[in-house]
Structure formats: structure tokens, C-alpha cells
Amino acid sequence: MWHISFVSVLYFCLLLIISHQTAISADIINQTCKKCADESIVFSYEFCSASLQEVPESNVTNLQGLGSIAIKLALDNATNTISIIEQLLTNKTLDPFALACLEDCSEHYSEAITTLKDSIKIFLEEDYDTARRLLTVVMTAVTTCEDCFKDKEGVVSPLENENYSLFQLSDIALCIVHLLSLVVRSYNQ
Ligand SMILES: *[C@@H]1O[C@H](CO)[C@@H](O)[C@H](O)[C@H]1NC(C)=O
Ligand SMILES: *[C@@H]1O[C@H](CO)[C@@H](O)[C@H](O)[C@H]1NC(C)=O
Ligand SMILES: *[C@@H]1O[C@H](CO)[C@@H](O)[C@H](O)[C@H]1NC(C)=O
Ligand SMILES: *[C@@H]1O[C@H](CO)[C@@H](O)[C@H](O)[C@H]1NC(C)=O
Ligand SMILES: *[C@@H]1O[C@H](CO)[C@@H](O)[C@H](O)[C@H]1NC(C)=O
């Protein structure tokens, strides 16, 4: 008899733990996004909260987990964008100037992918200063791509949304790495 109630108590505890975890994770996401948005005018709280919330809860129990998720989201996004660029490059109706920019962008996004892969490794090694430097390189690459389209009047970037996404995702990662480096510094003092 006690056996059954033991199992149900155990089950109840498990439910408590799970719902507690979910609350922690939504909380840490929103708090982190808020902190980052407070420090930068380009940083979008809504984008940050929505992007991080999409990832399964189990990973998001601390800032470090959140950081690696943000870098992985950025990497996935850059990878998607490369295939979008390849598709656009086959479009013969595009302005030749825009096509030339797309060729450049393809290189910049490839660089972003390589750099993001490096930054995941470096991030996991807790070398936060180098990780920040690499994430800045990613944001510069994305911006350089987008700037190309501005050099000719009347040309509209076909990668506006992609620029926005990858820039924001890298900015989220950058901010989390920054917050983590502050924690490390205060430990070392
Ligand atoms: C976190 O923010 C999102 C969107 O801003 C909101 O829907 C959600 O209720 C918030 N969660 C918590 C735990 O504050
Ligand atoms: C989440 O955690 C699981 C298991 O620990 C892992 O396989 C997966 O890659 C993680 N996802 C992200 C986005 O970090
Ligand atoms: C990632 O990239 C794709 C293609 O560029 C974009 O449509 C999508 O909204 C992005 N996803 C996120 C979570 O930002
Ligand atoms: C090619 O680009 C034009 C102008 O941006 C667009 O309207 C058209 O749908 C594209 N065609 C293909 C096959 O993607
Ligand atoms: C790219 O997107 C970011 C927001 O994520 C924005 O601040 C920036 O102005 C965009 N770059 C260009 C050149 O439009």
C-alpha cells in the first residue's frame, strides 16, 4: 500500500521540479534579455526573449547554457542565410550590382559561420575575452554585407531580415559573454 503512495509522492515531486525548472528558465531568459536591452539601443528585448524561449527548457538553467544556445542559434541562422544567398545568386532578374554584393555577402556569411564555430569552442573553454572578439568579427561581417547594397541608389538589400536576425542573435551572445566575463572578474578579485 505504502508503495503506491510512495510512487505518487515521487511523481508529485518530479512534477514540482519540472514546473520549477520551467519557471527558472523563462525567468533567466527574460531577466538576461532585459539587462542586455538596457545597455544598448539596437538590442531588441522582444527578439531576444522570443528567440531564446524557442529552445527546449532543459538547457537553460544558467547563463552559461544560455550563452551556448545563443551562439548555436546564430550559427544555425548564418547557415540558413548561406542557402538563401545561393538561391538569390541564381536569379537572373536581379540588378547586376545587387548580384555583385551577394557574391561578397556569400563570403562574409561564410566567414561568420567559421568564426561562430570557433567562438563556440572558445566559449566552452571559458575564454570570454576571445569569444567577445570573435562575436564582434561576426557582427562586422554581417554589417559589411549589408553596407554593400547601400552604395547604389535604388538598390534594396534582399538580405535585410537576415542581417537583422544574425546581428541580433550575435548581439545576444555578445551580451551574455560580457555578463559572464563580469562574473569571472569579480571572482578573481
Ligand atoms: C517573459 O517574456 C515573455 C515575452 O516578453 C512573456 O510572454 C513571458 O510571460 C515572460 N515570462 C516571465 C516568466 O516573465
Ligand atoms: C540541449 O541539451 C541537449 C542534451 O543535453 C543537447 O543534446 C542539445 O544539443 C542542447 N541544445 C542546445 C541548443 O544547446
Ligand atoms: C534565421 O534565419 C532565417 C533565414 O535568414 C530567418 O528567416 C529566420 O527568421 C531566422 N531565425 C531566427 C530565430 O532569427
Ligand atoms: C527574382 O528576383 C525578383 C526581384 O527581386 C523576384 O521578384 C523574383 O520572384 C525572383 N525570382 C526567383 C525565381 O526567385
Ligand atoms: C542590420 O540589422 C541591425 C539590427 O539587428 C541594424 O541595427 C543595422 O542597422 C542593420 N544594418 C544595416 C546596414 O542596415
Side-chain angles (χ1 to χ4, degrees), residues 84-103 149 152 154-159:
I84 291 175
I85 293 174
E86 267 156 21
Q87 283 230 313
L88 287 168
L89 280 172
T90 65
N91 189 333
K92 299 292 176 238
T93 68
L94 277 182
D95 182 286
F97 180 84
L99 280 174
C101 286
L102 281 170
E103 295 275 5
F149 298 100
K152 188 177 172 193
V155 170
V156 176
S157 165
L159 296 174

Side-chain angles (χ1 to χ4, degrees), residues 55 59 68-69 72:
V55 178
N59 300 54
S68 72
I69 286 167
K72 281 179 194 155

Side-chain angles (χ1 to χ4, degrees), residues 71-72 74-79 81-82 85 104-120 134-145 162 166-167 170:
I71 302 177
K72 281 179 194 155
L75 177 59
D76 284 350
N77 210 268
T79 309
T81 301
I82 288 280
I85 293 174
D104 282 354
C105 288
S106 170
E107 279 173 30
H108 293 306
Y109 275 86
S110 298
E111 183 198 3
I113 289 176
T114 313
T115 312
L116 284 166
K117 283 182 182 159
D118 290 344
S119 66
I120 288 179
L134 293 175
L135 289 166
T136 310
V137 169
V138 172
M139 291 164 84
T140 306
V142 178
T143 305
T144 308
C145 160
E162 288 72 18
L166 187 53
F167 191 94
S170 309

Side-chain angles (χ1 to χ4, degrees), residues 32 52 55-56 58-76 116-117 119-126 128 131 135 169 172-177 180:
T32 307
L52 295 179
V55 178
S58 53
N59 300 54
V60 197
T61 48
N62 59 37
L63 205 50
Q64 201 142 17
L66 212 55
S68 72
I69 286 167
I71 302 177
K72 281 179 194 155
L73 285 175
L75 177 59
D76 284 350
L116 284 166
K117 283 182 182 159
S119 66
I120 288 179
K121 212 170 117 258
I122 295 286
F123 176 80
L124 294 176
E125 288 166 7
E126 300 184 17
Y128 296 137
L135 289 166
L169 290 170
I172 296 170
L174 185 65
C175 176
I176 292 174
V177 173
L180 281 166

Side-chain angles (χ1 to χ4, degrees), residues 43-55:
F43 193 99
S44 162
Y45 170 83
E46 281 75 22
F47 184 91
C48 176
S49 172
S51 307
L52 295 179
Q53 223 90 240
E54 259 176 38
V55 178

